[in-house]
Amino acid sequence: MYVEYVRICTNKVSIIIRHKQLERYMINKIEELLAEIEAFTPQNSADVEAFRIKILGKKGALGALMEEFKSVPAAEKRELGQRLNHLKNVATERINTLKEEIGNAAAMNAAKIDDMTRPGSTESVGSRHPISIVKQEIESIFSRLGYTVADGPEIEDDWHVFSALNFPPEHPARDMQDTFFIESNPDVVLRTHTSSIQVRTMERQKPPIRVICPGRVFRNEAISYRAHCIFHQIEGLYIDRNVSFADMKQSLLYFAKELFGEQAQIRMRPSYFPFTEPSAEVDVSCSICGGKGCGVCKGTGWLEIMGCGMVDPNVLKYNNIDPNEFSGFAFGMGIERIAMLKYGVGDLRLYFENDVRFLNQFESAL
Ligand code: DAH
């Protein structure tokens, strides 16, 4: 009986000792692992992954400890459980941080220039459209003479395109420009010239007026190398007291010299426009042959560049400006035509095709 008792006691003691040993072992193991985690310095992401498997993997160190944890008596579970949780958190956090650091370092390495002598790769740069280049150049020349830029709508009414510019109804001058009408309403048109912006400017502003009006215009014309149903114009208008024909001539000579070079000359030929009186066509000396005569100027030595004239007193009256007090001049030119002369472009349609081989040839300082 006593022997039996002693045996049971001894058993109990040995069980208690075994439990104590297990706890000690586990705490030691946890401390060891924490130190190992802290000291771990991987070379690459594969190292980190191997380490993760070793500690947190299914058959890893933490899993083994969890297995042992099952045989820990309930009274001890609390403290050991906390230690195990701590180990798990520290391991997970450290592994995540290492993964991120190694990922960033790899990205930086990839971006590093390994060969400083290697030629750089060039980006292809677009160029401005020749119509934009010429438009800006014309605007810039007139801005130096004190002109500002004005704008207006492309869809207009009869008043702004014709009537206020002294085109009487049924007057044959309306046939000078083949008009697109909108929805068979003869009062709504696509503007045939930028002169309509003159009218809109006079409505808004009292003299002195000095504006330049660039814009797209529309005419019902068959498309060919020298005509298009859509093109661009620039209109100019100058109204003040005592504005004379000589002022106009000098301004346009300055313009021609700025655009085509100091050697450029102009001449004026009498012409007719309903909105100007007197009216003229302006020619510039041919910049290709210097005035001697060539294929471009058809042997004349001159190239037509614009229409101009003194603003008709009727136009001033229609726009509530007193013609006895004020006078002015106006001019209008096609941007495509100026660009053709400036760059030697032989076919108007090229401007609208947007072939990069054509467009890439134009460079602008503006
Ligand atoms: N509007 C005219 C046209 O489209 C161009 C023009 C000529 C405008 C003479 C003017 C001018 O202002 O005075 O053909």
Side-chain angles (χ1 to χ4, degrees):
M1 182 70 192
Y2 176 75
V3 173
E4 181 61 4
Y5 174 75
V6 170
R7 199 184 59 79
I8 291 170
C9 284
T10 324
N11 264 352
K12 270 196 171 171
V13 170
S14 71
I15 287 170
I16 290 169
I17 289 173
R18 249 197 294 130
H19 281 159
K20 280 284 164 217
Q21 277 175 343
L22 178 60
E23 259 178 78
R24 188 91 327 267
Y25 162 78
M26 283 184 69
I27 290 173
N28 281 345
K29 188 75 196 163
I30 290 171
E31 292 302 321
E32 249 173 52
L33 285 172
L34 283 170
E36 191 180 341
I37 290 167
E38 200 185 351
F40 177 57
T41 43
Q43 297 300 313
N44 48 41
S45 54
D47 287 356
V48 180
E49 182 57 11
F51 191 67
R52 186 191 67 77
I53 293 169
K54 181 178 160 196
I55 309 286
L56 299 173
K58 256 192 187 154
K59 295 181 181 161
L62 185 70
L65 284 172
M66 287 307 217
E67 236 357 86
E68 310 261 23
F69 184 67
K70 285 181 188 160
S71 12
V72 172
E76 318 296 336
K77 270 207 154 94
R78 193 178 144 84
E79 198 214 324
L80 254 185
Q82 280 175 355
R83 283 177 189 265
L84 283 172
N85 252 341
H86 176 67
L87 173 66
K88 188 179 175 187
N89 290 342
V90 169
T92 312
E93 208 169 291
R94 175 94 177 119
I95 285 168
N96 285 344
T97 315
L98 286 171
K99 266 190 195 163
E100 203 173 298
E101 280 175 9
I102 285 185
N104 287 346
M108 288 203 12
N109 272 341
K112 232 196 299 177
I113 301 166
D114 49 355
D115 180 0
M116 299 291 278
T117 62
R118 204 171 62 190
S121 55
T122 50
E123 295 293 326
S124 64
V125 180
S127 57
R128 275 180 189 281
H129 195 281
I131 297 300
S132 299
I133 298 174
V134 171
K135 177 181 105 117
Q136 285 198 354
E137 201 173 342
I138 297 172
E139 282 174 10
S140 139
I141 294 171
F142 281 103
S143 76
R144 299 201 281 279
L145 290 175
Y147 288 73
T148 52
V149 176
D151 202 0
E154 293 178 346
I155 300 173
E156 270 290 11
D157 52 25
D158 180 280
W159 173 257
H160 291 92
V161 178
F162 296 121
S163 301
L165 286 164
N166 202 32
F167 286 80
E170 316 301 333
H171 192 281
R174 286 180 184 236
D175 294 339
M176 285 165 76
Q177 304 175 355
D178 293 316
T179 311
F180 282 117
F181 295 93
I182 292 197
E183 288 169 359
S184 54
N185 176 350
D187 192 41
V188 185
V189 301
L190 292 181
R191 69 180 175 202
T192 53
H193 54 182
T194 43
S195 305
S196 54
I197 309 177
Q198 266 195 40
V199 180
R200 293 204 169 263
T201 306
M202 287 187 272
E203 280 171 357
R204 276 198 305 264
Q205 208 181 318
K206 290 290 144 229
I209 292 173
R210 219 181 293 180
V211 286
I212 200 93
C213 320
R216 211 154 41 150
V217 299
F218 308 85
R219 290 187 195 178
N220 191 2
E221 280 184 34
I223 296 170
S224 72
Y225 74 98
R226 52 194 293 270
H228 209 288
C229 54
I230 303 175
F231 57 103
H232 300 78
Q233 285 189 332
I234 288 202
E235 178 86 7
L237 176 69
Y238 183 7
I239 301 176
D240 204 345
R241 292 186 175 84
N242 303 319
V243 176
S244 68
F245 198 97
D247 294 329
M248 174 170 76
K249 202 171 168 191
Q250 204 54 39
S251 303
L252 297 181
L253 177 62
Y254 170 80
F255 165 70
K257 285 182 181 294
E258 286 293 291
L259 191 68
F260 293 105
E262 188 48 40
Q263 75 297 334
Q265 293 295 322
I266 59 166
R267 74 173 183 186
M268 288 178 163
R269 287 176 288 110
S271 185
Y272 171 76
F273 301 102
F275 35 91
T276 43
E277 183 58 37
S279 307
E281 298 282 355
V282 181
D283 297 343
V284 65
S285 50
C286 179
S287 50
I288 313 238
C289 63
K292 287 192 205 77
C294 67
V296 176
C297 60
K298 302 204 179 73
T300 64
W302 295 97
L303 298 161
E304 187 185 317
I305 55 164
M306 67 170 100
C308 70
M310 301 307 291
V311 180
D312 193 294
N314 278 343
V315 174
L316 295 176
K317 253 189 268 166
Y318 293 148
N319 292 288
N320 300 318
I321 294 173
D322 183 357
N324 296 317
E325 192 180 349
F326 293 103
S327 57
F329 62 79
F331 51 88
M333 66 192 108
I335 303 181
E336 278 80 0
R337 167 129 186 104
I338 304 279
M340 279 172 116
L341 299 178
K342 206 169 150 57
Y343 296 121
V345 175
D347 190 330
L348 198 87
R349 290 168 294 199
L350 287 166
Y351 293 125
F352 300 92
E353 282 165 5
N354 283 337
D355 184 332
V356 286
R357 290 168 302 179
F358 172 69
L359 297 177
N360 276 342
Q361 298 173 66
F362 301 92
E363 275 179 31
S364 77
L366 290 171

